[in-house]
Amino acid sequence: MTMTKKTNIAIAVCSLLACQSAIANDESDVFSLGEIVVSGQTGVKDIAIHNTMTEDQIELVGAKTAADALDYIPGVHTAQSSKGEKFITIQGFEQDKILILLDGVPYYETNYGQLDLNQIPASIIAKIEVTKGASSVLYGPNGMGGVVNIITKKGQDGISGDLEASLGQNGQNNESASISLGKNGFSLFATVNHRGRDSMRMSNDYEPVLSDVKDKYGDLPSEMVIEDGDKRENSSYDSTNIWVRGGYANENSEIFASVFNLDTERDLPYNTRYNKVFSDFSGFAKISEYKDTGIDLSGQHRINDSLTLRALAYYHIHDDSYDSYDTPEQYVKLAVSSYSDYTGGGAVFADMNFTDWNRLSVSVNYKNDVHKKKNVAYVDPDESHGYERSQLDTISFAAEDTMTFGALNVVAGIAWHKQTVGEDRGIDADTDNDDSDTFDPSLGMSYTFDNAGLVYGSIAQKTRFATFSEMYDDTGARHDLKPERNTSYTLGWKNDLAYTWLNNIDIGLFYHDISDKIVEVYLTDPTDPDYKLEVNQNVGTSKFYGIEFSTLSQLSENISLSFDYSYTHARNESEDRESDYFRDIPKDSFTAMLNWHQPTLDINSNLRVRYRTDILIDVDSDEWESDTLTIDMGFKKAFTPQFSAYVNLNNVLDESHYEGYGQPNEGRSYEVGVKYRF
């Protein structure tokens, strides 16, 4: 086992500092229709491990994207895929097993089940809510590991907005402009954001390694150094994002429409450990297109004090082009693989309060997923094919009831989900063996003591359906797969305290028992006994358990201190498994933040520390990161109520580690920026 050793300074620093301060936040600009679980309607947030990150907190940590912000939420870990996408894990679950929502609408691409969270700019985010364990059944399926709802902004009365620009090294830049308009119930919010860089600076501690190379043509050596350090090869990007929301609201009704275009072109930083070159695919590539566009409609109407109806509808498009080349120098373009994915659907909710002690919500969710893939091969035209279309439908019915008996809240829910494949690469699918409908029950309770806070516990069954990429084997044949299932248990306690050194505390225990897990197996090809087919089957089992712990201390009028710790025990118990462990899941994770306001100079500063241990980087080589340490700093000076300037220093110690297999992290970097509010 290879262990990458880091400094032990993190242990001392993390014992003194702490993350996520509880800053009072005005939620008047929060798009409340994006909250599927309505505050006050259901007690589900009190029976699960639940974290909220506000707009102020996102700005405090210097986050420029949703991925940047999520890395500071307890129990959430951000990593990087071989495609250059930022993704998250929660309590041992990878992102394709987590339900990512953008204003209550599923945000993913239909082939692999996840999208790059760096695609969502922080400038549109009002708050992020993360629910683990017994998340509401109203969300629908595919939240086996939890639900992340990224809730955006809406327009406010009057005219307001902001302009922001920042610069860093190697051409790094960020510019954004937002405007908010509102009058007589009508409102409009619009923002445009641009981010870019010429290259990423690597840590001075980075040590070049040999990459294994599998080259069909035999032109490249079997081992070679792909990345020699300094500036990261093929790491430029350019992203322009536009978001517009308009609508009308009065005391009984709301209706809003949102349109967006999130567009990125980027080179692809090569994997430093393994690369392959085939006639129709290569690890030496760039992403010539990565674009998400869509339109969302949301509305609600309060019929009377006892009944409110809500509805949403959406249509999202994801376009993705992957350009493969023959060598790291990209002399010859081998092929272009293009995806064009469509997701359309909607949901209807009814919230009923017929008695003082009972609140019931029911919902119907439907979505239609289409995946289209084509390949243009320039060197070997026989590998080319036009768009192949696959399509599936998912429907869900759910009911969730909250019963209040004094200090005791009881939340019971049940949902029925069904997924049906309607089209299989242009051919009507055979659904005779389709065993994809499930029932998901949940039950939780919370009790509020007079002086001892709130105690909660829950048990919930969760469903996650197979993605298109999991259904097909190497030959293109489709296999009917059962849904993955997770029985989730949660037990916790949270309390607001009167101590100066400890204002609140939140402790949660979790246990997940996963069955029918979809895993890769290798079977003999019936047409060629010497060849093994890679096929996904429901033969896996796993168990995850651990603890999350958060505290906040207001040490003085000008100094606050917060601390988060999570421990995750994630084990693969499948037969014939390659490893007992899973990639990209830290065993221990510490996040800490110290915030200080200097009143004489009117400067706000913060020190942020993240320390993580025992992260498996690669199953085949059994390579681990024994620990990773990141220390960041930020300073902000308000010159007037409207104008401010800031400096962010990231990875101050210039530590080197891996953010994913073959993906080294960014070295020390800086950002200098200004912001003007009007």
Side-chain angles (χ1 to χ4, degrees):
M1 179 182 296
T2 303
M3 289 285 187
T4 306
K5 287 295 183 182
K6 305 292 181 194
T7 176
N8 290 325
I9 188 174
I11 299 174
V13 176
C14 284
S15 66
L16 298 174
L17 305 181
C19 171
Q20 256 181 262
S21 29
I23 302 172
N25 194 58
D26 178 11
E27 293 201 355
S28 61
D29 67 340
V30 175
F31 182 57
S32 58
L33 286 182
E35 301 180 85
I36 298 298
V37 177
V38 179
S39 299
Q41 174 63 27
T42 175
V44 71
K45 292 180 181 178
D46 287 334
I47 65 168
I49 301 176
H50 182 83
N51 306 103
T52 299
M53 193 171 194
T54 67
E55 178 186 357
D56 287 338
Q57 292 168 330
I58 292 170
E59 184 174 335
L60 182 70
V61 300
K64 292 295 184 287
T65 69
D68 294 340
L70 282 163
D71 206 30
Y72 284 94
I73 292 180
V76 179
H77 175 60
T78 301
Q80 182 166 299
S81 73
S82 58
K83 198 176 175 181
E85 299 167 315
K86 278 296 181 76
F87 67 93
I88 60 171
T89 64
I90 294 180
Q91 293 182 351
F93 293 95
E94 295 179 337
Q95 186 170 310
D96 62 352
K97 298 172 178 59
I98 300 164
L99 183 59
I100 307 293
L101 303 174
L102 190 58
D103 291 324
V105 175
Y107 181 75
Y108 65 103
E109 52 90 4
T110 61
N111 190 46
Y112 295 105
Q114 67 181 40
L115 280 174
D116 186 1
L117 292 174
N118 264 342
Q119 188 88 331
I120 303 174
S123 58
I124 69 171
I125 301 174
K127 67 177 179 179
I128 300 174
E129 294 191 336
V130 179
T131 306
K132 309 144 192 172
S135 55
S136 174
V137 295
L138 303 177
Y139 288 120
N142 299 328
M144 194 167 70
V147 176
V148 175
N149 195 9
I150 301 168
I151 302 169
T152 61
K153 301 175 184 178
K154 69 175 182 179
Q156 304 179 71
D157 286 343
I159 301 175
S160 61
D162 59 63
L163 301 170
E164 182 176 1
S166 66
L167 296 172
Q169 74 270 50
N170 297 341
Q172 177 182 322
N173 65 94
N174 179 81
E175 303 85 33
S176 66
S178 300
I179 188 167
S180 169
L181 307 171
K183 185 176 183 180
N184 298 329
F186 293 94
S187 66
L188 175 73
F189 173 77
T191 184
V192 59
N193 170 266
H194 173 266
R195 294 183 299 114
R197 72 180 179 202
D198 298 329
S199 63
M200 183 185 84
R201 177 193 173 274
M202 301 186 67
S203 166
N204 289 331
D205 290 339
Y206 171 77
E207 297 181 0
V209 295
L210 285 174
S211 167
D212 292 327
V213 179
K214 187 176 183 180
D215 181 11
K216 175 183 177 180
Y217 301 103
D219 296 332
L220 297 174
S222 60
E223 291 185 331
M224 60 185 298
V225 173
I226 299 297
E227 177 58 65
D228 58 3
D230 192 19
K231 295 180 180 180
R232 182 76 159 101
E233 300 293 337
N234 260 39
S235 60
S236 67
Y237 68 77
D238 189 87
S239 176
T240 301
N241 309 296
I242 300 172
W243 184 279
V244 180
R245 165 174 292 124
Y248 172 79
N250 58 34
E251 61 181 16
N252 291 319
S253 302
E254 294 183 63
I255 184 167
F256 283 86
S258 308
V259 294
F260 62 88
N261 184 77
L262 312 177
D263 191 0
T264 300
E265 293 182 13
R266 66 169 183 260
D267 290 336
L268 183 63
Y270 302 146
N271 192 300
T272 62
R273 303 303 180 97
Y274 176 75
N275 288 277
K276 56 186 177 181
V277 179
F278 298 140
S279 59
D280 61 341
F281 176 84
S282 169
F284 306 124
K286 67 178 181 180
I287 310 297
S288 56
E289 182 180 42
Y290 196 99
K291 181 167 67 174
D292 294 296
T293 58
I295 180 170
D296 300 339
L297 302 174
S298 303
Q300 75 171 18
H301 178 65
R302 188 173 68 89
I303 296 175
N304 53 46
D305 291 340
S306 301
L307 177 62
T308 298
L309 298 179
R310 297 180 286 137
L312 61 87
Y314 54 88
Y315 185 73
H316 293 183
I317 303 172
H318 174 72
D319 293 309
D320 189 340
S321 291
Y322 184 98
D323 300 357
S324 296
Y325 291 86
D326 60 336
T327 65
E329 294 77 19
Q330 299 186 357
Y331 293 131
V332 177
K333 182 183 288 189
L334 301 175
V336 176
S337 299
S338 298
Y339 296 156
S340 186
D341 295 344
Y342 306 81
T343 297
V348 177
F349 306 87
D351 304 318
M352 293 164 277
N353 302 307
F354 296 124
T355 66
D356 292 338
W357 60 273
N358 185 272
R359 303 184 302 277
L360 174 66
S361 293
V362 297
S363 69
V364 179
N365 283 271
Y366 168 78
K367 62 187 179 73
N368 171 258
D369 290 336
V370 173
H371 173 61
K372 294 170 63 180
K373 176 183 178 181
K374 75 174 182 179
N375 194 65
V376 178
Y378 299 103
V379 175
D380 188 354
D382 290 341
E383 298 290 345
S384 298
H385 59 77
Y387 272 120
E388 297 175 338
R389 188 181 190 273
S390 300
Q391 174 259 323
L392 59 81
D393 300 285
T394 307
I395 190 168
S396 175
F397 297 91
E400 190 164 79
D401 196 25
T402 299
M403 296 158 281
T404 303
F405 309 99
L408 175 66
N409 271 347
V410 179
V411 181
I414 189 164
W416 177 80
H417 315 296
K418 184 173 181 62
Q419 176 175 284
T420 304
V421 178
E423 188 174 357
D424 181 354
R425 298 194 175 185
I427 302 172
D428 290 342
D430 178 8
T431 59
D432 291 342
N433 298 319
D434 191 358
D435 183 19
S436 62
D437 61 315
T438 63
F439 280 96
D440 282 352
S442 67
L443 178 65
M445 292 182 287
S446 65
Y447 189 89
T448 304
F449 295 91
D450 290 338
N451 298 312
L454 181 142
V455 175
Y456 61 91
S458 59
I459 178 173
Q461 187 79 46
K462 293 296 177 183
T463 292
R464 184 258 184 183
F465 290 112
T467 63
F468 279 125
S469 65
E470 291 168 330
M471 296 177 188
Y472 295 96
D473 63 25
D474 294 342
T475 68
R478 185 176 68 85
H479 300 264
D480 289 311
L481 296 172
K482 295 186 294 183
E484 294 182 322
R485 306 284 278 156
N486 173 33
T487 304
S488 174
Y489 305 85
T490 306
L491 183 65
W493 171 66
K494 61 183 71 175
N495 195 14
D496 293 327
L497 304 171
Y499 304 113
T500 301
W501 55 273
L502 186 59
N503 300 126
N504 61 51
I505 188 170
D506 192 343
I507 301 174
L509 302 172
F510 61 88
Y511 180 88
H512 303 292
D513 188 359
I514 300 98
S515 60
D516 289 326
K517 181 176 173 61
I518 299 171
V519 297
E520 296 174 349
V521 298
Y522 293 90
L523 305 177
T524 301
D525 186 346
T527 64
D528 184 356
D530 296 327
Y531 183 71
K532 295 290 186 179
L533 286 177
E534 183 180 305
V535 180
N536 286 292
Q537 294 185 348
N538 294 103
V539 295
T541 58
S542 303
K543 286 183 172 58
F544 306 155
Y545 62 81
I547 184 172
E548 294 185 13
F549 175 85
S550 300
T551 67
L552 173 68
S553 303
Q554 191 68 39
L555 300 180
S556 71
E557 182 180 355
N558 298 314
I559 301 176
S560 65
L561 183 69
S562 57
F563 175 77
D564 299 320
Y565 168 72
S566 64
Y567 166 79
T568 303
H569 177 96
R571 294 294 184 270
N572 185 356
E573 299 185 352
S574 308
E575 293 185 9
D576 300 324
R577 58 191 178 271
E578 290 184 76
S579 173
D580 292 340
Y581 303 91
F582 295 94
R583 277 178 40 186
D584 304 316
I585 300 169
K587 176 184 175 184
D588 301 286
S589 179
F590 300 84
T591 306
M593 184 181 292
L594 178 68
N595 301 307
W596 176 49
H597 174 68
Q598 210 291 322
T600 305
L601 299 176
D602 193 20
I603 294 177
N604 291 304
S605 58
N606 62 81
L607 179 65
R608 311 185 297 272
V609 178
R610 284 168 293 177
Y611 179 69
R612 285 153 182 171
T613 73
D614 300 327
I615 305 172
L616 178 62
I617 300 300
D618 180 41
V619 172
D620 293 335
S621 64
D622 197 27
E623 180 184 354
W624 293 69
E625 290 278 13
S626 60
D627 51 22
T628 68
L629 170 66
T630 306
I631 296 180
D632 305 322
M633 302 173 65
F635 305 89
K636 182 179 179 180
K637 165 69 176 175
F639 294 95
T640 70
Q642 292 78 33
F643 181 73
S644 61
Y646 58 86
V647 176
N648 288 311
L649 304 174
N650 299 315
N651 194 4
V652 174
L653 299 182
D654 200 31
E655 293 282 343
S656 178
H657 58 264
Y658 277 86
E659 294 185 326
Y661 177 56
Q663 300 296 328
N665 68 304
E666 185 174 10
R668 184 187 298 112
S669 64
Y670 69 87
E671 175 193 30
V672 179
V674 293
K675 189 168 188 175
Y676 176 74
R677 300 180 186 270
F678 59 89

